[in-house]
């Protein structure tokens, strides 16, 4: 029994290494996880796993990252005064010879592909979100540039947190109509589709971000509705809809048509100049009139809509300004971080993701 447990633990540790590599975690983190597979040393079996299973088999399109990992691996093994596998040296030499061209492309801000693996712990076989393989792998085309220009195409901690939240509490979203403001790369929307939300409406105010999001939906085998398909009547069966929605120009009548049960937002509390527009959008979605089947209007839903907003509070003054406007617009906000904290760590290999820095709020009409 003990041998079997040790074998399962080793398999889990190697899975963490591969998942970290596919998610393009910092190379220091990948090496640190690799050490855990063998009691702290970068043994030949660990080197072979990194070379054969990670770099050689899965580095297509991310060669620059693979080169950095191989360089770090060689340096660490040599510091230990251990033997570096010949295959590792050879693989690094291959990447060095092809490096200059790809490095130039990276400097031009080329998009890369990350694979985000949600790993469900042992014993969750019956959990509604848990696939039979116990892992949900989401490929995402994204940008490495988190600060300039391509912020909408980057993966932020709050979107990881909100995705864990959706997968941990599928009963909140299954068969519900969900609307996300500022959907970015589409990760939260993909998780909503996975838990079988009745309808998923993803929005962004930036057309390039929206285009990248649609590509990610396709890569995850999700059909999405756009205006062209709608005109030809070919999108009746789709559950996911992508909308270009700048908060500044969205009209109340346009927003009241969507009638979501749940509104979601990841890292939308960041720019005070956007708060009046964002909150006007939330008010319209949460409180706007809805249509009965006979066409008449009703102002109350049977089940009141709620918004779940995940955010890292980077500036106390900015957040306080948001709270002031929330109160002025007659909305209620509640911190649910402790009450609804995702109970399972579905991204245990992701050292760069600080789950403790993210807060979860619910916002509703008074």
């Amino acid at each position: 029994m003990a041998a079997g447990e040790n074998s399962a633990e080793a398999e889990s540790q190697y899975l963490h290494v591969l998942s970290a590599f596919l998610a393009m975690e910092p190379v220091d983190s990948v090496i640190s996880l690799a050490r855990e597979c063998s009691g702290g040393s970068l043994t030949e079996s660990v080197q072979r796993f990194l070379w054969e299973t990670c770099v050689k088999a899965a580095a297509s399109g991310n060669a620059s990252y693979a080169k950095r990992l191989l360089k770090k691996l060689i340096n660490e093994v040599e510091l230990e005064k251990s033997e570096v596998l010949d295959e590792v040296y050879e693989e690094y030499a291959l990447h060095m010879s092809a490096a200059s061209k790809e490095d130039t492309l990276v400097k031009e801000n080329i998009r890369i592909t990350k694979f985000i693996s949600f790993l469900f712990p042992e014993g969750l076989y019956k959990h509604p979100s848990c696939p039979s393989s116990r892992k949900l792998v989401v490929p995402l085309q994204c940008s490495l540039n988190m600060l300039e220009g391509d912020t909408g195409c980057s993966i932020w901690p709050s979107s990881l947190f909100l995705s864990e939240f959706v997968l941990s509490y599928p009963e909140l979203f299954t068969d519900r109509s969900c609307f996300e403001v500022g959907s970015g790369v589409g990760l939260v929307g993909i998780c909503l589709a996975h838990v079988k939300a009745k309808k998923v409406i993803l929005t962004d105010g930036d057309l390039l971000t929206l285009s990248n999001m649609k590509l990610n939906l396709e890569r995850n085998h999700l059909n999405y509705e756009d205006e062209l398909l709608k005109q030809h009547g070919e999108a009746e069966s789709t559950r996911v809809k992508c909308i270009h929605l700048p908060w500044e120009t969205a009209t109340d009548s346009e927003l009241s048509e969507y009638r979501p049960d749940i509104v979601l937002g990841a890292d939308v509390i960041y720019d005070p100049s956007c708060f009046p527009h964002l909150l006007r959008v939330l008010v319209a979605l949460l409180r706007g009139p809805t249509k009965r089947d006979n066409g008449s209007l009703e102002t109350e839903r049977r089940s009141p809509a709620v918004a779940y907003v995940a955010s890292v509070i980077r500036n106390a003054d900015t957040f306080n300004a948001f709270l002031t406007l929330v109160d002025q617009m007659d909305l209620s906000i509640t911190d649910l971080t402790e009450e609804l904290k995702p109970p399972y760590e579905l991204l245990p290999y992701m050292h760069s993701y600080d789950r403790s820095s993210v807060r979860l709020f619910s916002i509703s009409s008074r």
Side-chain angles (χ1 to χ4, degrees):
M1 182 67 109
E5 288 175 0
N6 289 339
S7 174
E9 185 179 349
E11 186 179 336
S12 175
Q13 288 171 336
Y14 276 110
L15 177 59
H16 287 186
V17 176
L18 177 60
S19 299
F21 175 82
L22 292 174
M24 294 182 68
E25 281 288 279
V27 293
D28 286 355
S29 292
V30 179
I31 296 296
S32 176
L33 287 167
R35 289 184 181 280
E36 293 176 15
C37 297
S38 58
S41 298
L42 294 169
T43 61
E44 287 193 4
S45 60
V46 170
Q47 292 180 53
R48 190 169 298 281
F49 180 83
L50 286 169
W51 162 64
E52 204 164 47
T53 304
C54 297
V55 173
K56 195 168 184 293
S60 176
N62 294 335
S64 180
Y65 174 73
K67 183 192 73 172
R68 295 199 305 275
L69 179 66
L70 288 167
K71 181 179 180 181
K72 179 71 174 178
L73 174 61
I74 291 169
N75 286 343
E76 291 292 305
V77 175
E78 289 178 343
L79 280 173
E80 289 180 2
K81 302 198 182 319
S82 301
E83 290 267 335
V84 178
L85 286 179
D86 289 343
E87 295 92 336
V88 171
Y89 278 129
E90 289 165 9
E91 191 74 27
Y92 182 61
L94 284 173
H95 281 81
M96 284 297 290
S97 63
S100 58
K101 182 178 179 182
E102 176 153 334
D103 286 347
T104 301
L105 291 172
V106 168
K107 286 173 185 173
E108 292 172 0
N109 206 27
I110 193 172
R111 302 274 165 82
I112 46 86
T113 300
K114 291 186 177 184
F115 293 79
I116 307 300
S117 302
F118 294 95
L119 307 179
F120 289 79
E122 192 78 40
L124 285 187
Y125 298 109
K126 293 183 180 179
H127 193 273
S129 297
C130 184
S132 57
S133 64
R134 282 192 30 235
K135 66 178 179 179
L136 172 66
V137 182
V138 180
L140 294 171
Q141 177 174 279
C142 55
S143 171
L144 291 174
N145 186 350
M146 295 183 74
L147 297 177
E148 297 176 14
D150 252 4
T151 56
C153 295
S154 297
I155 301 174
W156 293 85
S158 295
S159 64
L160 293 170
F161 184 97
L162 205 53
S163 298
E164 276 195 305
F165 173 61
V166 169
L167 295 174
S168 296
Y169 298 102
E171 66 279 4
L172 294 178
F173 306 97
T174 301
D175 291 328
R176 310 295 293 279
S177 175
C178 299
F179 187 110
E180 187 182 11
V181 291
S183 301
V185 294
L187 178 59
V188 175
I190 292 164
C191 291
L192 287 168
H194 177 75
V195 301
K196 297 181 171 53
K198 179 171 65 177
K199 190 171 187 181
V200 179
I201 301 170
L202 305 180
T203 70
D204 209 278
D206 181 78
L207 287 170
L208 288 176
T209 299
L210 200 66
S211 175
N212 185 68
M213 184 203 309
K214 290 177 179 178
L215 180 65
N216 284 331
L217 294 176
E218 290 172 1
R219 295 195 67 173
N220 286 274
H221 312 293
L222 291 172
N223 293 322
Y224 60 84
E225 177 182 331
D226 63 17
E227 293 307 309
L228 183 61
L229 287 175
K230 189 176 178 183
Q231 289 167 15
H232 289 81
E234 297 172 8
E236 294 302 318
S237 63
T238 59
R239 259 200 348 263
V240 182
K241 184 172 184 177
C242 298
I243 299 170
H244 180 231
L245 186 78
W247 301 337
E248 297 85 350
T249 58
T251 65
D252 290 355
S253 59
E254 173 191 4
L255 292 166
S256 64
E257 291 177 9
Y258 297 115
R259 305 172 59 185
D261 299 308
I262 298 172
V263 182
L264 300 102
D267 245 333
V268 291
I269 307 174
Y270 61 90
D271 183 354
S273 68
C274 294
F275 291 168
H277 308 296
L278 168 62
L279 286 169
R280 186 178 56 79
V281 167
L282 290 180
V283 166
L285 292 170
L286 295 173
R287 192 189 294 155
T290 61
K291 291 183 180 177
R292 297 181 185 272
D293 291 339
N294 62 11
S296 64
L297 292 179
E298 59 181 4
T299 56
E300 297 293 334
R301 292 179 179 87
R302 288 179 186 172
S303 185
V306 62
Y308 293 111
V309 175
S311 188
V312 176
I313 301 174
R314 299 176 179 87
N315 183 296
D317 291 339
T318 296
F319 184 65
N320 287 333
F322 180 77
L323 293 179
T324 299
L325 272 178
V326 165
D327 186 59
Q328 289 175 2
M329 300 190 84
D330 209 24
L331 294 171
S332 295
I333 184 168
T334 305
D335 189 333
L336 296 176
T337 312
E338 295 306 317
E339 182 182 340
L340 287 180
K341 182 166 62 178
Y344 318 110
E345 212 173 326
L346 303 181
L347 301 164
Y349 59 88
M350 198 172 274
H351 293 173
S352 67
Y353 163 44
D354 180 9
R355 185 203 260 199
S356 66
S357 69
V358 185
R359 310 299 297 174
L360 177 69
F361 303 97
S362 69
I363 299 176
S364 58
S365 297
R366 285 181 180 163

